[in-house]
Amino acid sequence: MTSREEYLQRFKRQLDEWNDDIDELEVKAREAQAGAQARYREQLEALRKMRDDAWQRYTEMQRATVDAWDAMAQGTEKAWHAWVDAFDDARSKFKSKD
């Protein structure tokens, strides 16, 4: 596993990317026809929830003691893959509604 600092930097980069994606999709949702806006809002809410859950874990990891770091990193790694997959799936569904 990478160092604590590298891990946190990678995590933060992913969160920043998700924030950018959400911003982009929000613009798209505002420009959508009325009928599609409700579907877009639902997808955006799901994306925001995943991002917020990941952000909370990131904050917890920043505060983790040296003793707790390894266990927390292992648990986060499992959750991380689920978040990435779920975020990519939700984002692709959103984009496929063009």
Side-chain angles (χ1 to χ4, degrees):
M1 181 164 292
T2 61
S3 75
R4 178 182 179 144
E5 191 58 36
E6 290 170 329
Y7 191 89
L8 289 170
Q9 287 175 359
R10 181 180 65 137
F11 205 135
K12 178 69 167 71
R13 279 192 304 272
Q14 182 65 66
L15 289 168
D16 290 341
E17 182 181 312
W18 287 345
N19 283 330
D20 292 343
D21 288 344
I22 289 170
D23 290 345
E24 188 179 303
L25 296 173
E26 284 174 339
V27 169
K28 187 175 178 180
R30 283 192 299 270
E31 295 171 352
Q33 294 180 352
Q37 284 183 351
R39 290 191 312 269
Y40 285 145
R41 277 188 247 123
E42 286 177 18
Q43 277 309 135
L44 279 166
E45 188 57 37
L47 292 172
R48 284 187 203 105
K49 170 90 171 89
M50 284 181 261
R51 185 238 6 238
D52 292 348
D53 290 347
W55 187 261
Q56 180 178 349
R57 179 62 68 99
Y58 172 76
T59 302
E60 291 168 359
M61 291 185 72
Q62 286 181 306
R63 296 179 183 149
T65 64
V66 173
D67 294 336
W69 172 256
D70 286 336
M72 183 168 248
Q74 288 175 358
T76 299
E77 195 65 27
K78 292 175 187 173
W80 180 261
H81 293 293
W83 286 324
V84 169
D85 291 344
F87 198 93
D88 288 346
D89 183 57
R91 182 177 43 204
S92 70
K93 287 179 184 174
F94 189 101
K95 289 184 175 184
S96 71
K97 293 177 182 175
D98 289 336

